[in-house]
Amino acid sequence: MMKCRVCETDCKMFLDLGWQPIANNFIARDQFPSEPFYHLQVFFCPSCFTVQLGECPEGRGVFNENYPFFTGTSQGMIKHFVQFSELIKEKYLPANGTIMEIGSNDGTFLEHFKNWEHMGFDPSESVTRVARSKGISVYPKPFETFPAKDSKRWHGATDVFISANTFAHIPDRHGVLRNIKIMLAQGGVWINEEPYLRSIIDKLAYDQIYNEHIFYTSIASMRNALNMHHLEIIDFEILPTHGGSIRYFIGHKRAEDSNGKIDQAVEHEGLNSFDVFQHFGQAVQRCATEFKKNLLALKRPVVGYGAAAKSTTVLNYCDIGPDIVSKIYDTTPEKQGKFSPGKHIPVVSYSQFAEDDTPDVVLFVWNHGREIYDKERYRTRNWLLPVGGAA
Ligand code: DWN
Ligand code: ZN
């Protein structure tokens, strides 16, 4: 039986994506025989409504010196973090304030706060090296292992915490919340954004499900987990990033019993009953079958665009190898010359894409669609979307 990581209730499984490799584990040919696989199953907790994975690789197996995702690979995300940093400077961070980022990656966000007291937390050496080269202070270990309670200096000292696409990656939810509770200033705010489960379901974006994303956020589950640490959602907004995200504004719990906006949103999102997830699980199976059928019906070679972590789920679940998608173009040097996890499709340099006149291209990074359609408008392509109803 799978126990909920938040409240220890027995969970119910609604989606089985089979044996899957580590989503960002792009490998060389000699590593094929030792490639690890994990059973990717998704569960719902009927008590606190948390949606989460079952079995997962341990942290160091994923977030280490070879972690190959760099936030700064998308112009759209760079812009997004510029706007986000302006909002914070305008509304939340005093001139002499302190800001901390959980999962600071290559410093794409924190580089806007070098003149403030700041700290990024990230265990992956590959990305922290880049952040440090920009002059950003980094604690190179998981945030939840930071000894906040023994470090008097940090008690109630942080005016703004931010985490973008990070909280879902950390299995020890209570460790994170405990440290935030200790370190957050009175009147301070934790702004947390990540893909929103409602969008994942509505867009059938099941490719967001892979080993790095241990949790899939809903307002209902977030409220329950925060409540266990005397924290609360003050407000939230919906964002277009990563195919549909939610940004929570969180603070210390106040005396008032309830927040009308949040109560209504929980009601409206409808993510607290198992049947919603059962339907989603069935729709995912149909979506995958349809996608593979469409690729095979083309009867000609197809190439991929963007060796995203998301592509690993689709390729392995649909059993699509290099005979169907011959190669994937990607801008990240650390992935180029390697092979995709599990299905071993070659990842090649994006610089060769312009010379490739293959008409059919699977847009694995559909979440950056606007940026990419614009960049690639010089040639007509038949863009294929790997998941249903995507942007
Ligand atoms: O949560 C996560 C998000 C924020 O980033 C992590 N778990 C891992 C990662 O997910 P992803 O790999 O699905 O992210 P992206 O941003 O959808 O895809 C990035 C990949 O796409 C990189 O390898 C770079 C590549 N790419 C490209 O080749 N050309 C990206 C863009 C925008 C491009 O134009
Ligand atoms: Zn639970």
Side-chain angles (χ1 to χ4, degrees), residues 122-162:
D122 205 304
S124 308
E125 292 87 346
S126 51
V127 295
T128 58
R129 202 175 302 125
V130 179
R132 282 192 166 134
S133 73
K134 297 175 177 172
I136 294 163
S137 311
V138 180
Y139 180 83
K141 288 185 187 157
F143 173 71
E144 66 280 15
T145 66
F146 180 70
K149 85 174 172 348
D150 307 328
S151 163
K152 283 274 181 300
R153 178 176 170 212
W154 296 114
H155 281 212
T158 308
D159 299 288
V160 179
F161 265 107
I162 94 117

Side-chain angles (χ1 to χ4, degrees), residues 64-358:
N64 52 39
E65 67 281 3
N66 296 319
Y67 187 63
F69 174 73
F70 296 78
T71 306
T73 47
S74 152
Q75 289 307 315
M77 290 311 289
I78 293 174
K79 249 186 248 156
H80 170 77
F81 285 113
V82 168
Q83 285 163 2
F84 189 18
S85 66
E86 283 164 0
L87 170 82
I88 289 169
K89 287 175 194 174
E90 216 175 281
K91 285 183 74 171
Y92 299 101
L93 187 64
N96 59 351
T98 298
I99 182 163
M100 306 252 174
E101 183 179 14
I102 307 167
S104 45
N105 198 277
D106 59 6
T108 297
F109 171 78
L110 270 187
E111 64 188 272
H112 305 292
F113 294 93
K114 281 195 282 194
N115 297 334
W116 274 260
E117 172 121 44
H118 70 271
M119 180 70 79
F121 294 83
D122 205 304
S124 308
E125 292 87 346
S126 51
V127 295
T128 58
R129 202 175 302 125
V130 179
R132 282 192 166 134
S133 73
K134 297 175 177 172
I136 294 163
S137 311
V138 180
Y139 180 83
K141 288 185 187 157
F143 173 71
E144 66 280 15
T145 66
F146 180 70
K149 85 174 172 348
D150 307 328
S151 163
K152 283 274 181 300
R153 178 176 170 212
W154 296 114
H155 281 212
T158 308
D159 299 288
V160 179
F161 265 107
I162 94 117
S163 51
N165 308 309
T166 309
F167 188 44
H169 294 61
I170 306 175
D172 180 11
R173 286 228 126 168
H174 292 302
V176 174
L177 297 176
R178 219 175 280 132
N179 271 357
I180 288 183
K181 181 72 192 167
I182 296 170
M183 295 164 77
L184 188 65
Q186 283 310 318
V189 64
W190 169 30
I191 309 176
N192 172 49
E193 61 182 56
E194 49 196 332
Y196 183 26
L197 183 54
R198 187 70 258 172
S199 307
I200 293 177
I201 294 178
D202 291 345
K203 296 188 173 176
L204 263 180
Y206 76 92
D207 55 351
Q208 288 288 5
I209 302 170
Y210 52 87
N211 68 282
E212 285 182 26
H213 294 167
I214 294 157
F215 298 101
Y216 301 85
T217 196
S218 64
I219 303 171
S221 62
M222 191 70 179
R223 181 168 70 169
N224 287 332
L226 292 171
N227 200 28
M228 294 168 85
H229 294 267
H230 306 286
L231 293 164
E232 68 174 351
I233 305 171
I234 300 161
D235 201 0
F236 70 90
E237 59 191 17
I238 303 297
L239 306 172
T241 44
H242 290 293
S245 295
I246 184 163
R247 174 184 279 168
Y248 298 104
F249 297 83
I250 296 155
H252 290 291
K253 203 163 170 51
R254 296 162 300 184
E256 300 93 86
D257 273 353
S258 69
N259 173 332
K261 179 173 174 182
I262 307 304
D263 297 343
Q264 260 177 21
V266 166
E267 193 83 357
H268 182 247
E269 72 175 0
L271 296 175
N272 50 12
S273 74
F274 187 59
D275 53 332
V276 176
F277 300 104
Q278 270 181 316
H279 283 123
F280 172 63
Q282 289 154 5
V284 166
Q285 281 179 25
R286 288 196 296 273
C287 169
T289 309
E290 188 78 357
F291 176 59
K292 185 162 177 189
K293 200 177 88 196
N294 291 344
L295 287 188
L296 292 173
L298 290 167
K299 295 198 165 59
R300 56 188 188 196
V302 167
V303 297
Y305 193 108
K310 292 187 290 295
S311 67
T312 297
T313 299
V314 174
L315 293 168
N316 285 276
Y317 184 52
C318 300
D319 189 19
I320 294 170
D323 50 326
I324 302 177
V325 175
S326 61
K327 59 182 95 156
I328 305 175
Y329 289 97
D330 194 280
T331 52
T332 311
E334 287 77 359
K335 294 181 186 176
Q336 296 161 3
K338 296 207 171 145
F339 295 86
S340 75
K343 301 320 289 180
H344 305 155
I345 298 174
V347 179
V348 295
S349 169
Y350 170 70
S351 61
Q352 296 162 32
F353 183 64
E355 287 135 50
D356 187 330
D357 53 15
T358 306

